[in-house]
């Protein structure tokens, strides 16, 4: 009996520890992936994500590959990071097409990627899915607010989209 009690206490400790590490990891990545300033920093986050069982892990990994394209010096490396990142992003969204966090990440990147790369086909679709589902989403309130504020900053956002985002921001 004593052994079972000790075992259960240890199990509970490790379960809580794992959950808290997971929470810190996802919050850190959510809050900082757009602030990455180097390939090395992106690689550090990618290493964290490769150990994660978070369903959005591949989406954030894709975003970080796209960020690496921004910092790469050689055109071949830029293209390789872009190609791998955009493919991984689309594949991860195909696996969970109603996930607004994944759609938000693709929306941000497709809004900012240069036109000549041709990676813009899902902008309106992603925008609509986010706008129509963000209020009822189980994402943390602060992250929802961050999502909406970042969406207001993308190039090419229309006045009607801006008005809609402001209305939703007031409702959450």
């Amino acid at each position: 009996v004593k052994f079972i009690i000790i075992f259960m206490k240890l199990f509970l400790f490790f379960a809580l520890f794992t959950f808290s590490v997971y929470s810190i990891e996802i919050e850190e990545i959510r809050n900082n992936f757009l602030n990455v300033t180097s390939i090395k920093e992106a690689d550090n986050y990618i290493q964290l994500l490769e150990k994660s069982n978070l369903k959005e892990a591949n989406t954030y990994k894709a975003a970080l590959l796209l960020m690496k394209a921004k910092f790469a010096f050689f055109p071949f490396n830029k293209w390789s990071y872009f190609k791998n990142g955009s493919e991984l992003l689309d594949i991860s969204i195909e696996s969970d097409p109603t996930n607004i966090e994944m759609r938000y990440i693709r929306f941000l990147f497709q809004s900012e990627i240069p036109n000549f790369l041709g990676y813009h086909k899902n902008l309106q679709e992603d925008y609509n899915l986010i706008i129509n589902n963000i209020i009822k989403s189980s994402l943390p309130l602060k992250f929802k607010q961050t999502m909406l504020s970042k969406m207001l900053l993308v190039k090419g956002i229309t006045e009607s989209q801006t008005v809609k985002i402001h209305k939703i921001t007031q409702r959450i």
Side-chain angles (χ1 to χ4, degrees), residues 72-82:
F73 180 74
F74 295 108
F76 177 77
N77 291 348
K78 283 183 175 293
W79 175 251
S80 178
Y81 290 137
F82 166 74

Side-chain angles (χ1 to χ4, degrees), residues 24-171:
I24 292 167
E25 176 184 308
I26 184 57
E27 290 306 314
E28 181 180 345
I29 291 168
R30 275 181 179 154
N31 293 331
N32 296 315
F33 81 100
L34 290 173
N35 300 323
V36 168
T37 58
S38 69
I39 289 175
K40 183 172 176 43
E41 191 176 356
D43 284 338
N44 289 339
Y45 280 117
I46 289 171
Q47 282 181 337
L48 263 179
L49 289 165
E50 286 176 350
K51 298 173 190 168
S52 174
N53 56 3
L54 172 70
K55 68 181 176 179
E56 291 86 5
N58 277 340
T59 306
Y60 281 104
K61 183 178 175 185
L64 290 160
L65 287 170
L66 290 167
M67 295 291 284
K68 285 174 69 167
K70 177 180 174 180
F71 301 114
F73 180 74
F74 295 108
F76 177 77
N77 291 348
K78 283 183 175 293
W79 175 251
S80 178
Y81 290 137
F82 166 74
K83 184 114 174 87
N84 292 334
S86 59
E87 287 175 0
L88 183 58
L89 187 52
D90 289 340
I91 288 168
S92 68
I93 290 171
E94 285 173 18
S95 74
D96 191 359
T98 60
N99 185 309
I100 67 169
E101 186 169 1
M102 293 178 181
R103 294 293 192 109
Y104 158 73
I105 291 167
R106 184 168 68 185
F107 176 81
L108 291 181
F109 281 93
Q110 285 192 353
S111 297
E112 300 298 320
I113 285 177
N115 287 337
F116 72 88
L117 292 171
Y119 188 56
H120 301 93
K121 68 180 188 254
N122 308 100
L123 278 169
Q124 191 61 47
E125 171 191 341
D126 291 345
Y127 171 85
N128 289 338
L129 188 111
I130 295 163
I131 293 304
N132 294 331
N133 295 289
I134 195 164
I135 291 174
K136 62 186 174 194
S137 163
S138 62
L139 290 168
L141 175 62
K142 185 174 180 173
F143 186 62
K144 289 181 189 182
Q145 292 167 331
T146 299
M147 287 173 63
L148 293 169
S149 67
K150 297 279 189 209
M151 288 174 70
L152 288 170
L153 301 175
V154 301
K155 62 183 176 187
I157 193 156
T158 67
E159 189 174 328
S160 65
Q161 288 174 324
T162 300
V163 168
K164 205 172 233 183
I165 291 170
H166 282 299
K167 285 181 181 178
I168 291 172
T169 301
Q170 292 171 353
R171 291 179 53 200

